[in-house]
Amino acid sequence: MFWELLQEVKDPEIPAVSMVEMGMIHQVRVEDDVVSVDVLPTFAGCPALDIMKKAIEQKLGAVEGVREIRVNFLLEPAWSSDRISDEGREKLKKMGIMPPPRKDEKKKTWEVTCPYCGSSFTALENLFGPAACRSILYCKNCKNPFEALKMI
């Protein structure tokens, strides 16, 4: 039940994707009337930690019989882009954000394809996008700018 509710808690910087789909929810433990949620932030300095904590507390606090919600942000194990679910990857693409390949798909160089037309004729426009974990690219085929999550 708690995992299903957490599926409704969106990533504050990418609201089309839940924190579960981003692989940020590491573990949920229930002991008596206390729910503990271990969260792996995408990077240690994420400015949205308080927003995430409040959203989790609000969602799980509505459950009858829950007295306390503990949200723990963990740095180990470190979050990795490999944790993004297949559903999360598809939602990111639909939003115009290309997810990085999984570890077993990684080569020495990462060919970033366009989430709109699938072309690999793309160019890095800016290493730093709207968030520390994203870059801005440009598709030379369909002429659309797009974002890509960095490999972590």
Side-chain angles (χ1 to χ4, degrees):
M1 166 178 65
F2 293 107
W3 281 94
E4 291 170 2
L5 289 171
L6 290 169
Q7 178 67 29
E8 299 173 20
V9 178
K10 303 302 180 184
D11 181 317
E13 293 185 19
I14 311 172
V17 184
S18 77
M19 290 178 64
V20 171
E21 293 164 338
M22 283 296 290
M24 296 169 65
I25 305 299
H26 180 62
Q27 187 174 33
V28 178
R29 294 179 310 283
V30 181
E31 297 172 25
D32 299 321
D33 53 0
V34 177
V35 179
S36 297
V37 181
D38 292 340
V39 179
L40 306 177
T42 54
F43 69 100
C46 180
L49 296 181
D50 284 339
I51 295 168
M52 290 181 220
K53 181 180 183 203
K54 287 177 185 172
I56 291 168
E57 289 172 340
Q58 182 178 21
K59 184 57 71 176
L60 300 184
V63 175
E64 188 175 327
V66 173
R67 178 181 52 85
E68 183 181 353
I69 295 116
R70 295 179 185 154
V71 179
N72 311 302
F73 292 100
L74 307 178
L75 299 179
E76 288 186 23
W79 178 85
S80 161
S81 51
D82 284 342
R83 294 181 60 97
I84 303 171
S85 71
D86 291 339
E87 184 178 14
R89 289 172 177 279
E90 286 306 311
K91 287 181 178 180
L92 287 168
K93 285 182 196 176
K94 286 179 183 173
M95 239 188 108
I97 301 174
M98 195 63 187
R102 296 189 190 278
K103 277 185 185 168
D104 60 348
E105 301 167 344
K106 291 179 185 171
K107 301 172 186 154
K108 287 189 179 186
T109 59
W110 173 32
E111 183 179 273
V112 183
T113 57
C114 175
Y116 301 113
C117 71
S119 173
S120 60
F121 192 41
T122 62
L124 179 67
E125 290 289 312
N126 194 331
L127 182 60
F128 302 101
C133 59
R134 294 182 276 177
S135 297
I136 299 174
L137 290 94
Y138 180 76
C139 179
K140 295 179 180 181
N141 183 56
C142 70
K143 312 291 188 227
N144 279 304
F146 65 95
E147 295 176 26
L149 281 175
K150 296 175 183 172
M151 287 188 286
I152 297 175

